Amino acid sequence: MAFYDDRKFLLSHIHHSFITCDDTGMCEMAMLNELVTDKALCQGDDNRPELKILDYYAESDLLEAGQSYDIVSGMGFIGGHRHRSNTAQRLEKLKKDRQNQAKITHIQWKDCPTNLSEQDLSQLFPKKDLNKPKENKQPVKSALSEALELFPAAPNNPFGEYARFDGRVNRSAPSKKILIYMTMLPTAERNYGMEVICLSSARVLDLIGLICWMYTNEGKEPKLKPSVNNYCLKIAEETGEVDEDFPSLDTNEFVGKFGFPFLALIERETKESSLLVTLYIEDEPIKFDVSTLNLSLREVAELASHRVSVRKSNAYHIEKIEEPGVAIPLDSKLSSFPSLVFRLIFEDDAKERMQREFETDEYDAHMKAVEAPLYRSFNVTLNQKMGMNYDVQLGISGEKVEINPLPPKGAAKLLSRQQKPATLYMDIIAACEIVSKKYNPGKCIFKLIYQLNQEFKKYVFETDPSTAQDIVKKVQIILEMRSTNACKEFQLYRERKLQRKAMKSQISVSKGSMSRS
């Protein structure tokens, strides 16, 4: 314990103690200007007893000792290291020099005491005869060349183009392992499946080609037909028994979509089995079966119109999916195409005529710009590509469109899951259109297109024709009044799409003319 009789030092010590021990910082703000210097004490009033006491201890040696420097952390010792001295660096350099010297051998050159004769020099350093002919050595053959010579040439595999879908070659790509049962094998060998590893990005048609390629490489009998269109895949049990209750897998679907561990390869019988034709109308696929490949594209379009109730119109053409913009003659047969996937395109005048049929004088009289922004609800059905359709209440006002799911009825309560409501503001809605086809008689389909993250998406609804007309016209009038950026961008997107199609058609026509010439 230490005793101090210097009052001024004690005051300074207490001042610093309060400042350093206070975490809030309030003491430092309150006591910042309380220290009085010697000059201030001398200029003060002598009648004040406090100043007299402080002036008596003004010349204190301990006061200067109480004023210390600010505490600063030594950053050189935090997270760093001390610099090495010159002595340590010099010793390390000497150590490395000794290690390098140990690896070097010094040989002292000495002159030969005796002169060697020419005979001794010829023995020590013999001369090579360059005029001597070289010996003909047999060429070296690799193990692969010897193996190819031992075995005869392998027969040509007509399914070689499908070998690139083998998942055993590329281990990093996602793949699926499936056990395939070959129904064309004898009964004794039919129950043993063939393990196939196929890329998930391949289609079912590519999987069939890969199976045929592996089957042909193994040299099994009987031999397969040279076309993959003669075979199809069906669901099978673990024992190899084919499940005839389910249809064959769609050849245009991806393999990664299915999760069946066992499949069976079956030879397709053209007379008895049906062929699947896919026809895209307004970007919606229509799939139906045909019994023969001798049908023309015009007959296929008529079958599609009967199935989906497309309005009769002669102003249309059919084109391939992989060749957009190139019209195909309607008298062409299905047998002349390797793929049975097409697209039906209506001409522009036919589209305008169908749209004008929805706009009648009676409808325009009831739907006015004043009534369009008022709130109104409609009960419609929301169509989904994957999953079940469910009923919703569509509420439309001048500011937004609300989609509220209705409670399911009957057995749908057990099969469907609870859907979430959605709200679309008018600022992001781009268009509302009626689709020119309907799946069920007496029903009409319309789509609501909106913009989300610079992409255009859509909701597809189904209801009766009169309700669909009311909804579409109501939304169109609201969009015309607001004139949002989403509508303008969607119109530009459509124009660019039409320009690309026109350019592709021109390029294809020019290529065809060059090939004819």
Side-chain angles (χ1 to χ4, degrees), residues 456 488-498 500:
F456 291 103
K488 298 177 182 178
E489 293 180 3
F490 184 67
Q491 293 297 332
L492 294 175
Y493 169 76
R494 276 189 167 177
E495 292 177 1
R496 290 194 296 266
K497 191 174 181 181
L498 292 175
R500 287 196 297 267

Side-chain angles (χ1 to χ4, degrees), residues 319-360:
E319 58 188 33
K320 297 180 182 179
I321 292 292
E322 59 272 11
E323 297 180 3
V326 181
I328 306 173
L330 297 179
D331 296 332
S332 302
K333 302 293 183 180
L334 291 178
S335 58
S336 59
F337 301 101
S339 176
L340 300 181
V341 183
F342 306 95
R343 186 187 299 274
L344 189 144
I345 304 296
F346 288 100
E347 302 297 338
D348 295 338
D349 55 350
K351 289 185 178 179
E352 294 176 359
R353 194 182 310 111
M354 287 188 295
Q355 291 179 0
R356 285 197 298 268
E357 291 176 0
F358 291 106
E359 301 175 357
T360 59

Side-chain angles (χ1 to χ4, degrees), residues 77-91:
F77 298 95
I78 299 177
H81 61 277
R82 183 174 61 86
H83 294 288
R84 302 178 62 190
S85 62
N86 295 332
T87 305
Q89 295 179 4
R90 187 165 58 254
L91 291 175

Side-chain angles (χ1 to χ4, degrees), residues 220-240:
K220 295 183 178 180
E221 294 291 339
K223 294 184 178 180
L224 300 177
K225 295 182 179 180
S227 177
V228 294
N229 294 324
N230 296 322
Y231 300 94
C232 64
L233 286 175
K234 283 195 173 184
I235 305 173
E237 301 293 340
E238 188 176 1
T239 57

Side-chain angles (χ1 to χ4, degrees), residues 354-515:
M354 287 188 295
Q355 291 179 0
R356 285 197 298 268
E357 291 176 0
F358 291 106
E359 301 175 357
T360 59
D361 297 337
E362 182 181 359
Y363 181 79
D364 292 336
H366 292 286
M367 181 62 67
K368 297 180 180 180
V370 179
E371 300 176 358
L374 301 179
Y375 178 82
R376 187 179 175 185
S377 61
F378 305 89
N379 291 337
V380 297
T381 301
L382 179 61
N383 292 349
Q384 293 180 319
K385 290 184 178 181
M386 303 296 294
M388 298 179 58
N389 303 337
Y390 57 94
D391 297 331
V392 297
Q393 186 181 45
L394 195 66
I396 305 174
S397 64
E399 298 293 332
K400 57 186 177 180
V401 176
E402 298 177 348
I403 304 174
N404 298 316
L406 297 176
K409 300 178 182 179
K413 294 182 179 180
L414 303 176
L415 301 177
S416 62
R417 60 180 181 181
Q418 186 177 3
Q419 303 295 334
K420 295 182 180 180
T423 302
L424 302 177
Y425 291 92
M426 287 295 175
D427 295 335
I428 66 173
I429 295 179
C432 185
E433 301 173 348
I434 291 181
V435 182
S436 61
K437 66 180 182 61
K438 45 192 176 182
Y439 292 99
N440 301 323
K443 294 292 183 179
C444 186
I445 294 177
F446 67 95
K447 57 184 177 181
L448 188 65
I449 304 171
Y450 63 98
Q451 188 180 25
L452 182 63
N453 297 329
Q454 303 300 325
E455 295 182 359
F456 291 103
K457 301 183 179 181
K458 64 180 178 179
Y459 282 108
V460 181
F461 302 95
E462 181 182 4
T463 183
D464 57 278
S466 61
T467 305
Q469 294 177 20
D470 293 341
I471 295 172
V472 171
K473 194 64 179 178
K474 185 179 180 68
V475 176
Q476 287 179 353
I477 292 176
I478 295 174
L479 294 179
E480 291 178 0
M481 295 171 60
R482 298 179 68 91
S483 181
T484 59
N485 294 328
C487 297
K488 298 177 182 178
E489 293 180 3
F490 184 67
Q491 293 297 332
L492 294 175
Y493 169 76
R494 276 189 167 177
E495 292 177 1
R496 290 194 296 266
K497 191 174 181 181
L498 292 175
Q499 291 177 0
R500 287 196 297 267
K501 285 187 176 181
M503 291 177 62
K504 289 182 180 178
S505 61
Q506 292 177 1
I507 294 171
S508 60
V509 170
S510 61
K511 287 183 178 178
S513 61
M514 292 175 62
S515 61

Side-chain angles (χ1 to χ4, degrees), residues 169-182:
V169 178
N170 190 359
R171 294 290 185 179
S172 60
S175 58
K176 293 183 71 69
K177 182 188 292 185
I178 307 173
L179 195 64
I180 306 296
Y181 291 97
M182 314 297 290

